[in-house]
Amino acid sequence: MIDWLSPQEWMAVHLSLKVALTAMAASLVPGIVVALLLERGRFWGRQALDVIVHLPLVLPPVVVGYFLLLWFGKRGPIGALLNEYFGIVFSFRWTGAALACAIMGFPLLVRAIRLSIEAVDRKLEDAAGTLGANRVWVFLVVTLPLILPGIIAGMVLSFAKAMGEFGATITFVSNIPGETQTLPTAIYTFTQVPGGEGGALRLTVVSIVISVAALWVSEWMARRVRRRFLA
Amino acid sequence: MANVSIRDIKKSFGPVSIIKGVDVDIEDGEFVILVGPSGCGKSTLLRMIAGLEDITSGEIRIGPRVVNDVPPKDRDIAMVFQSYALYPHMTVAENMAFSLKLKGVPQAEQKKRVSDAATSLGLTPLLDRYPRQLSGGQRQRVAMGRAIVRDPQVFLFDEPLSNLDAKLRVAMRAEIKELHQRLKTTTIYVTHDQIEAMTMADKIVVMHDGVVEQIGAPLELYDRPANRFVAGFIGSPSMNFIDGHLDAGGLALPSGTVLPLQVRPALSSDNKLTYGIRPEHLELAAPGTAGAIPATVSVVEPTGADTTLIAKTEGGSVTAVLRERFHLKPGEAVALKPAIHKAHLFDSAGIRVSSN
Ligand SMILES: Nc1ncnc2c1ncn2[C@@H]1O[C@H](COP(=O)(O)OP(=O)(O)OP(=O)(O)O)[C@@H](O)[C@H]1O
Ligand SMILES: [Mg+2]
């Protein structure tokens, strides 16, 4: 089984999983917060936030990647700050690939969570208030369990987007084997070199298997949650 | 337990004024029902008492404390919603223990209080079920149980029975009343069903279009409605209204029939009045009887206990509830004789001008 893929191919698979899981995990909490703000918030600039969050969905990925390069690159305004104060470097690192994937998947995550927040019966939250719960408790004990299926759906979308992200990643962090070469960029590389068809095909199969597995796991989790929590 | 005082409360949603200055005083331990047609602002008022809706102006006190700016959790109330608002991800026991858990009550005491409430509501065998596994009536009980377990100063109910079938509603009505007699917790109960209001309340607040039309004990509203709206809203079937004008012998209808009056009101310029008589205060009489309204039978509805007669008169359709069983045919000419001391008169503004 191990020999089925070459070391470079293994590296790409491993890196892709790492990048996608990191992107998904890192965007989870901000995703919930932004979804709550957009769905429930009454503040100046809500429209603007909505637009900004959705931009990656409508912009060409290469544009997003270039934007990241400009702002989060070593000499970019944010990139330089992060490097100086926290030692976090994005450019040409796998962390950069994760950032690109997280941003590209963010609108999908937020949309899925927003829909589930919209579906929550406000009376359930009102009742919790009258029964003595403060807002944090209402969220943790009532809202969060009710939107869990939406969160799971959003996480899967974010993960799937990350597994397939190409344009923003290659623009921002390039295509360095072992550091930033994920499944899509590796497949692309194989198709560009003579005799690379085997590698491209094998990685395609791996991609399909991972995607199907992700869908299946999410379905299974969502069903469990629904059975446990919801009518 | 606490009294609740509502002072000149107003509520607007944006430019739309929904509650237009409401004053109600609720005594400690009283069962007060807010009743009124759909959209009159009952739920909005109740939600303001609960703290779920901002107060545009005015003052609400629970006990000695002004609660305008107190969040719902600190008002020491418990609310039962029409949709029950049970947590689908919690069992019946967990739903009922919700407020105790928040308060950090020890596990053993939580268990005891939940099981006491469950016993009194007949929920003991259902404690481990989820709300989706319950019938509507059982869910309703769980919602009440959850409120009871909190042991609040004030219970707030928003149409808790309107999702139940007619028979269950009657049973729950009695049960809620019995519960109130046992717990004696101040209760504010919203309904649009005047029968619920009449049967359960110590005091009824009749609302219409964001204002209070009348406050009083059930029979007081029935016997002495302040105005035409209350007269028509309280009582079922509704009071009949017939327009006429004041004349020497009593109230004259356009065709010349004169209905005698017990008390003759001092009257204004045009002498135009509306005569109000409840269906149960009309008697069948022979056509042509003096002081009776000439009518033509249109529908006869025997209910067994009594007979509801709907008849056409010069003043429009009139309903009478008759004790005896009559064999009446549609189209038959009859006369309906009002019980003179039960009649009401309303002026052109709808205010009741005579007492019976
Ligand atoms: N959040 C809101 N924004 C705007 N208008 C509202 C809002 N909530 C209620 N209203 C309006 O306020 C009025 C009163 O509503 P409310 O729910 O208090 O009526 P109600 O007396 O409880 O009626 P029902 O018997 O149908 O429950 C209605 O006209 C309703 O459309
Ligand atoms: Mg209502």
Side-chain angles (χ1 to χ4, degrees):
Chain A
M1 182 63 196
I2 299 285
D3 323 331
W4 187 61
L5 296 174
S6 74
Q8 189 196 348
E9 289 159 21
W10 266 118
M11 248 174 344
V13 172
H14 176 244
L15 191 72
S16 256
L17 286 171
K18 183 161 87 172
V19 164
L21 289 172
T22 307
M24 178 183 87
S27 48
L28 182 58
V29 172
I32 294 173
V33 171
V34 169
L36 273 173
L37 283 176
L38 290 179
E39 191 56 40
R40 296 284 175 82
R42 293 274 164 275
F43 56 94
W44 188 87
R46 202 179 66 100
Q47 288 286 335
L49 179 65
D50 199 11
V51 169
I52 290 168
V53 164
H54 281 90
L55 270 184
L57 208 57
V58 290
L59 284 179
V62 175
V63 171
V64 175
Y66 188 62
F67 169 84
L68 288 174
L69 195 59
L70 289 179
W71 283 76
F72 288 84
K74 260 216 170 89
R75 268 180 291 280
I78 303 176
L81 276 179
L82 286 173
N83 188 11
E84 192 168 331
Y85 292 103
F86 301 100
I88 300 172
V89 177
F90 286 117
S91 52
F92 307 111
R93 299 279 174 84
W94 74 270
T95 47
L99 176 66
C101 290
I103 285 181
M104 292 303 290
F106 200 63
L108 301 172
L109 177 72
V110 169
R111 281 180 85 86
I113 299 175
R114 250 183 101 164
L115 283 176
S116 64
I117 295 174
E118 200 185 350
V120 169
D121 179 0
R122 298 296 290 265
K123 296 257 160 47
L124 293 176
E125 296 170 329
D126 288 349
T130 66
L131 290 165
N134 63 28
R135 289 175 68 166
V136 175
W137 266 106
V138 173
F139 177 74
L140 290 178
V141 186
V142 177
T143 318
L144 195 58
L146 295 174
I147 64 173
L148 215 47
I151 293 176
I152 292 170
M155 284 167 70
V156 172
L157 286 173
S158 158
F159 177 79
K161 181 74 192 169
M163 288 299 294
E165 217 302 308
F166 182 84
T169 311
I170 204 165
T171 311
F172 182 30
V173 294
S174 181
N175 182 8
I176 308 160
E179 187 62 44
T180 63
Q181 190 176 71
T182 57
L183 273 172
T185 48
I187 292 173
Y188 172 75
T189 308
F190 277 122
T191 61
Q192 299 302 301
V193 296
E197 294 85 359
L201 256 178
R202 282 193 293 278
L203 289 185
T204 303
V205 171
V206 172
S207 279
I208 294 172
V209 169
I210 292 176
S211 306
V212 170
L215 266 184
W216 184 80
V217 168
S218 82
E219 263 308 301
W220 176 77
M221 277 169 64
R223 215 167 354 179
R224 266 187 66 114
V225 166
R226 261 194 290 273
R227 201 174 314 148
R228 168 84 177 79
F229 284 159
L230 305 173
Chain B
M1 278 184 277
N3 64 319
V4 176
S5 113
I6 297 167
R7 281 280 155 271
D8 197 21
I9 282 293
K10 295 189 177 129
K11 173 73 185 177
S12 309
F13 289 108
V16 192
S17 167
I18 298 295
I19 305 276
K20 301 161 187 166
V22 165
D23 288 273
V24 185
D25 274 303
I26 295 158
E27 304 300 326
D28 188 0
E30 208 169 23
F31 196 118
V32 170
I33 292 196
L34 305 180
V35 67
S38 186
C40 70
K42 309 177 294 284
S43 298
T44 305
L45 183 57
L46 196 72
R47 290 172 60 83
M48 284 196 281
I49 299 169
L52 299 172
E53 210 77 73
D54 292 334
I55 296 165
T56 306
S57 76
E59 186 181 274
I60 295 181
R61 284 170 189 268
I62 298 178
R65 186 167 62 139
V66 176
V67 294
N68 285 34
D69 299 316
V70 176
K73 75 179 175 74
D74 298 323
R75 292 196 184 190
D76 205 357
I77 46 149
M79 183 154 169
V80 176
F81 295 81
Q82 179 177 353
S83 55
Y84 314 138
L86 299 178
Y87 299 117
H89 54 295
M90 297 181 195
T91 62
V92 169
E94 286 164 346
N95 264 287
M96 288 174 67
F98 191 84
S99 61
L100 302 179
K101 207 166 170 180
L102 288 169
K103 260 190 247 172
V105 171
Q107 222 40 186
E109 197 194 330
Q110 280 187 30
K111 231 180 156 144
K112 183 178 175 308
R113 282 169 68 178
V114 167
S115 96
D116 286 351
T119 308
S120 76
L121 290 163
L123 289 170
T124 310
L126 308 176
L127 282 176
D128 293 325
R129 293 213 200 158
Y130 285 92
R132 64 175 179 277
Q133 299 165 320
L134 303 177
S135 72
Q138 290 166 337
R139 281 178 211 183
Q140 207 280 330
R141 275 163 201 273
V142 177
M144 283 189 8
R146 189 172 65 180
I148 291 168
V149 167
R150 174 153 164 77
D151 189 20
Q153 301 261 8
V154 183
F155 281 129
L156 305 175
F157 290 90
D158 192 356
E159 308 212 19
L161 304 185
S162 48
N163 288 349
L164 303 180
D165 66 48
K167 206 166 171 182
L168 198 52
R169 211 175 317 162
V170 173
M172 285 309 295
R173 223 153 68 190
E175 209 166 310
I176 292 177
K177 197 166 176 179
E178 190 271 330
L179 187 83
H180 176 255
Q181 281 158 4
R182 186 156 49 83
L183 300 177
K184 300 196 170 56
T185 306
T186 310
T187 301
I188 307 175
Y189 185 111
V190 163
T191 178
H192 62 257
D193 178 351
Q194 60 90 23
I195 298 186
E196 241 168 64
M198 291 296 283
T199 52
M200 295 169 79
D202 294 326
K203 186 155 93 189
I204 297 179
V205 178
V206 182
M207 289 181 64
H208 181 214
D209 266 350
V211 298
V212 171
E213 296 281 353
Q214 191 174 2
I215 300 178
L219 293 180
E220 201 178 314
L221 299 192
Y222 178 90
D223 291 336
R224 286 182 294 282
N227 55 45
R228 194 171 155 166
F229 177 80
V230 176
F233 193 80
I234 298 289
S236 169
S238 292
M239 186 183 284
N240 298 297
F241 297 106
I242 302 165
D243 292 333
H245 66 275
L246 206 55
D247 129 333
L251 188 90
L253 306 186
S255 68
T257 308
V258 175
L259 304 174
L261 300 174
Q262 192 177 36
V263 182
R264 194 191 149 83
L267 241 239
S268 56
S269 49
D270 57 355
N271 281 359
K272 278 208 164 86
L273 286 174
T274 301
Y275 187 84
I277 186 78
R278 294 194 183 277
E280 53 273 37
H281 299 146
L282 284 168
E283 250 175 41
L284 202 60
T289 307
I293 309 160
T296 313
V297 176
S298 36
V299 179
V300 181
E301 297 171 341
T303 66
D306 44 33
T307 306
T308 304
L309 167 66
I310 299 167
K312 282 200 203 64
T313 71
E314 58 183 295
S317 177
V318 165
T319 305
V321 175
L322 307 168
R323 283 291 145 65
E324 275 113 292
R325 298 181 181 181
F326 293 99
H327 292 285
L328 294 167
K329 282 188 206 66
E332 206 173 322
V334 292
L336 294 168
K337 191 172 166 53
I340 180 171
H341 59 289
K342 298 284 192 188
H344 305 275
L345 286 178
F346 302 93
D347 68 13
S348 46
I351 309 296
R352 195 170 65 112
V353 291
S354 77
S355 58
N356 43 33

